[in-house]
C-alpha cells in the first residue's frame, strides 16, 4: 500500500449523490455529489472531491475538522454571529470543530476535502 495518494479532481467513477438534511436546508434545492477517494486511521480521516449545486444550508461541524480547497465555483460562508466570506476557485480554508454557520453555494462548487473526525 502506497503512503502517497493523489486526489483525482475529475474522477471517472460514479459519485455518491445526496442532498442536505431537511432540517439544515435554508433555501434552494442543492444536490451534492461526493467522490470519496481515501480513508485512514480507522476511518477518522477522509479525502475526496465534493460538488454542490446552488442553494443555502446550515453547516454544523460539531467535532469535525474540515480543510477545503475550491476547484471551481463560488461559495459564501457566514459563521454564526459573523460576517460573510466569499471563497472561489483557488481558495483554501478550514472549518474547525464547533463551526456553525450558513453555507451558500452561489455558483456550482467543486472542492477537495480532508475531513478529520
Amino acid at each position: 500500500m502506497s503512503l502517497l495518494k493523489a486526489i483525482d479532481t475529475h474522477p471517472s467513477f460514479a459519485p455518491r449523490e445526496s442532498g442536505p438534511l431537511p432540517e439544515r436546508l435554508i433555501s434552494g434545492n442543492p444536490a451534492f455529489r461526493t467522490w470519496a477517494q481515501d480513508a485512514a486511521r480507522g476511518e477518522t480521516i477522509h479525502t475526496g472531491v465534493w460538488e454542490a449545486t446552488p442553494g443555502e444550508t446550515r453547516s454544523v461541524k460539531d467535532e469535525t475538522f474540515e480543510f477545503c480547497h475550491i476547484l471551481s465555483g463560488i461559495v459564501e460562508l457566514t459563521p454564526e454571529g459573523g460576517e460573510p466570506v466569499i471563497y472561489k476557485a483557488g481558495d483554501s480554508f478550514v472549518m474547525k470543530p464547533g463551526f456553525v454557520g450558513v453555507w451558500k453555494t452561489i455558483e456550482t462548487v467543486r472542492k477537495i476535502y480532508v475531513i478529520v473526525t
Side-chain angles (χ1 to χ4, degrees):
M1 176 177 95
S2 175
L3 296 179
L4 182 62
K5 173 74 176 167
I7 302 296
D8 183 352
T9 58
H10 295 289
S12 58
F13 61 91
R16 181 177 58 85
E17 299 192 20
S18 64
L21 296 171
E23 63 271 19
R24 293 206 181 162
L25 179 63
I26 296 170
S27 68
N29 187 24
F32 305 154
R33 299 191 320 158
T34 304
W35 292 268
Q37 296 187 32
D38 199 30
R41 294 204 177 168
E43 299 286 321
T44 62
I45 302 172
H46 295 268
T47 60
V49 173
W50 182 83
E51 187 176 271
T53 59
E56 200 168 357
T57 59
R58 184 164 171 75
S59 180
V60 179
K61 288 296 156 192
D62 294 324
E63 296 301 313
T64 301
F65 172 99
E66 182 174 359
F67 166 83
C68 303
H69 176 75
I70 304 295
L71 298 167
S72 61
I74 302 170
V75 296
E76 177 185 270
L77 271 64
T78 306
E80 196 167 71
E83 295 297 316
V85 180
I86 299 281
Y87 295 104
K88 58 190 181 332
D91 292 339
S92 301
F93 59 94
V94 169
M95 289 181 284
K96 294 182 178 183
F99 175 87
V100 175
V102 174
W103 175 290
K104 181 179 182 180
T105 301
I106 297 168
E107 179 183 291
T108 297
V109 68
R110 182 178 283 224
K111 69 178 184 177
I112 293 172
Y113 66 84
V114 178
I115 295 173
V116 181
T117 56

